[in-house]
């Protein structure tokens, strides 16, 4: 008589699930990198359009800044729903659709004649499309395809946006300066469309689609498509809002967005032009920020794998605040060594905050970490939207951007203190509270 016992075993991978010499996760990461580079063209354009639109249509800088603020706000508010929709319909479909919407919105601006059309085309359409291409996309790819090296990959994918800025800013500024802003808008539309075939043919939603385990992890079957994507995004938000780390992460990231996308990316070129610097030279400085941002963000991902994330955030925000306080006295007609030092220093810190912020979302909220990060990113873009409008209005009111630089420096100091208040998570309890 034999004794028969039942055991629970981990499903074995299919015969095709062998570890290749170069794991497929790295090719998926490469496609994601290229996709974000292509999509980054639209993010490079708003700061170059403020003066041309003001001169052609006589719209105030506050009005133009409002359109940019709508774009930035929708970019953030769409992100958590996009992360949930990727769980429901797949990464490829959502990203391809988003790129198409970006192209449509950018192309329609060529025929606009009223300010409300700028808000609709650039603010709403491009904002919705870009929100689906937000950093939640990078977080979703990283969480699905990587177990080991997550911090490094997050840094690489985050740096892709800066690389896109590097590629497109000099070209777009040259087009705006020599041929007007309309060819630049068409270039943005075509660059977004050009990426769609790469996404559709090369990107895969899950390692199980190709019979592989995640890089550094164990094989698992692909989960069934999630239903109720919008409901899940809202449910995750409601749960997260009952925890202290969410509010601290959202607050620090709102200041991050205010001092990068909302302020420097949108208003640095017109602010430098106010001091007599040529537009192409100012845009080239932003491109140099992109160069050093790649270095800084990849390094931040490496640091995130090895050091405590909240302390990294505190250092990043403190250094950023100090640099902004010095900027008003550095701007000049010529590109002198002091402004180059600012560009290098600020570039290294530009989105270095992203890898530790994603790591803290994952640490505190587990499988919901990507969606929680989507909501934290929403606060990033709301902060960017507020400053994009407020900085333009301040320029109209005071005749300069100085008060905005000083205020932003003080906000960064507050963000550094907030980061230090975030407590470590309890490994046995997801979503710890203060």
């Amino acid at each position: 008589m034999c004794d028969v016992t039942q055991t629970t075993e981990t499903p074995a991978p299919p015969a095709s699930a062998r570890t290749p010499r170069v794991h497929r996760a790295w090719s998926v990461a490469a496609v994601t990198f290229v996709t974000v580079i292509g999509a980054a063209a639209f993010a490079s354009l708003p700061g170059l359009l403020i003066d041309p639109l003001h001169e052609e249509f006589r719209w105030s800088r506050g009005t133009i800044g409002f359109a940019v603020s709508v774009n930035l706000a929708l970019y953030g508010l769409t992100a958590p729903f996009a992360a949930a929709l990727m769980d429901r319909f797949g990464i490829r479909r959502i990203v391809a659709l988003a790129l198409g919407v970006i192209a449509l919105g950018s192309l329609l601006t060529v025929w606009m004649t009223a300010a409300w059309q700028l808000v609709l085309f650039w603010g709403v359409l491009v904002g919705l499309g870009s929100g689906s291409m937000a950093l939640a996309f990078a977080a979703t790819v990283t969480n699905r395809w990587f177990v080991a090296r997550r911090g490094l990959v997050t840094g690489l994918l985050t740096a892709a946006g800066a690389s896109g800025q590097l590629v497109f800013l000099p070209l777009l500024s040259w087009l705006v300066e020599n041929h007007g802003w309309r060819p630049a808008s068409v270039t943005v539309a075509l660059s977004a469309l050009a990426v769609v075939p790469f996404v559709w043919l090369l990107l895969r939603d899950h390692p199980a689609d190709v019979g592989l385990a995640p890089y550094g992890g164990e094989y698992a079957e692909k989960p069934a498509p999630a239903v109720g994507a919008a409901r899940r995004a809202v449910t995750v938000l409601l749960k997260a809002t009952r925890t202290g780390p969410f509010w601290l992460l959202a607050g620090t990231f709102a200041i991050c967005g205010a001092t990068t996308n909302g302020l420097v990316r949108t208003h640095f070129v017109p602010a430098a032009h106010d001091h007599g610097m040529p537009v192409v030279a100012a845009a080239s400085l932003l491109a140099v920020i992109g160069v050093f941002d790649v270095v800084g963000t990849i390094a931040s991902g490496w640091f995130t794998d090895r050091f405590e994330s909240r302390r990294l955030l505190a250092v990043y925000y403190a250094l950023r605040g100090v640099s902004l306080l010095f900027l008003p006295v550095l701007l000049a007609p010529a590109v002198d060594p002091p402004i180059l030092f600012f560009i290098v220093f600020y570039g290294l810190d530009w989105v270095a905050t992203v890898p530790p912020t994603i790591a803290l979302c994952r640490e505190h909220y587990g499988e919901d970490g990507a969606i929680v990060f989507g909501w934290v990113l929403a606060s990033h873009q709301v902060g960017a939207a507020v400053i994009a409008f407020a900085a333009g209005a301040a320029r109209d009111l005071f005749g300069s951007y100085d008060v905005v630089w000083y205020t932003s420096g003080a906000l960064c100091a507050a963000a550094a203190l907030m980061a230090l208040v975030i407590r470590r998570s309890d490994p046995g309890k997801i979503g710890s509270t203060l």
Side-chain angles (χ1 to χ4, degrees), residues 268 271-278 281-282 285 327-336 338-339:
F268 178 81
H273 191 54
D274 284 347
H275 287 76
M277 186 179 294
L285 288 178
L327 181 59
V329 300
L330 299 180
L331 290 172
V335 180
D336 297 321
I339 192 65

Side-chain angles (χ1 to χ4, degrees), residues 63-86:
T63 297
I64 301 168
F66 175 72
V68 177
S69 72
V70 170
N71 174 291
L72 294 171
L74 286 178
Y75 176 100
L77 294 173
T78 304
F81 295 98
L85 287 171
M86 287 177 190

Side-chain angles (χ1 to χ4, degrees), residues 72-403:
L72 294 171
L74 286 178
Y75 176 100
L77 294 173
T78 304
F81 295 98
L85 287 171
M86 287 177 190
D87 287 342
R88 175 66 179 89
F89 298 105
I91 298 173
R92 287 195 304 170
R93 292 178 181 177
I94 298 303
V95 173
L97 177 62
L99 288 167
V101 173
I102 290 169
L104 176 64
S106 182
L107 191 60
L108 287 175
T109 60
V110 172
W111 294 283
M112 68 182 178
T113 56
W116 68 265
Q117 294 170 333
L118 177 66
V119 175
L120 175 62
F121 300 152
W122 193 266
V124 176
L125 290 180
V126 176
L128 289 173
S130 60
S132 300
M133 284 290 301
L135 291 173
F137 168 43
T140 300
V141 170
T142 303
N143 288 346
R144 289 187 184 184
W145 281 89
F146 291 86
V147 174
R149 301 291 187 269
R150 276 179 171 171
L152 175 63
V153 174
T154 300
L156 286 166
L157 296 183
T158 303
S163 299
Q165 179 175 300
L166 165 67
V167 170
F168 289 103
L169 258 177
L171 170 63
L172 292 176
S173 64
W174 180 84
L175 285 173
V176 170
E177 188 78 1
N178 294 279
H179 300 284
W181 61 270
R182 288 179 176 83
S185 291
V186 173
T187 301
V188 168
L190 294 178
S191 67
L193 288 176
V195 180
V196 173
F198 291 94
V199 171
W200 196 255
L201 296 175
L202 301 177
L203 195 62
R204 291 295 179 267
D205 293 329
H206 196 277
D209 288 341
V210 289
L212 291 174
Y215 181 80
E218 297 181 355
Y219 179 84
E221 294 291 340
K222 182 178 180 179
V227 296
R231 182 172 62 253
R232 182 187 175 200
V234 173
T235 300
V236 169
L237 171 64
L238 293 176
K239 289 170 59 180
T241 55
R242 295 196 290 268
T243 67
F246 173 81
W247 292 108
L248 291 168
L249 288 168
T252 56
F253 224 42
I255 293 172
C256 178
T259 53
T260 53
N261 292 351
L263 181 58
V264 175
R265 176 174 284 174
T266 304
H267 292 282
F268 178 81
V269 171
H273 191 54
D274 284 347
H275 287 76
M277 186 179 294
V279 170
V280 174
S284 298
L285 288 178
L286 273 185
V288 174
I289 284 181
V291 175
F292 288 95
D293 178 43
V294 174
V295 177
T297 307
I298 294 173
S300 179
W302 187 87
F303 290 144
T304 301
D305 286 332
R306 290 161 176 79
F307 300 102
E308 190 177 348
S309 295
R310 65 193 185 99
R311 297 187 185 277
L312 288 175
L313 286 179
V315 172
Y316 296 157
Y317 286 120
L319 293 176
R320 181 183 300 179
V322 170
S323 66
L324 285 172
L325 292 176
F326 280 98
L327 181 59
V329 300
L330 299 180
L331 290 172
V335 180
D336 297 321
I339 192 65
L340 287 176
F341 179 79
F342 168 84
I343 292 298
V344 172
F345 189 86
Y346 202 82
L348 291 171
D349 193 77
W350 180 267
V351 287
T353 56
V354 173
T357 301
I358 291 178
L360 286 168
C361 288
R362 187 186 305 121
E363 175 184 336
H364 285 278
Y365 303 103
E367 293 182 354
D368 291 331
I371 296 178
V372 172
F373 177 70
W375 286 112
V376 171
L377 179 62
S379 72
H380 181 281
Q381 295 308 113
V382 170
V386 171
I387 290 296
F389 169 73
R395 170 61 177 79
D396 290 332
L397 180 63
F398 300 112
S400 77
Y401 287 96
D402 288 358
V403 66

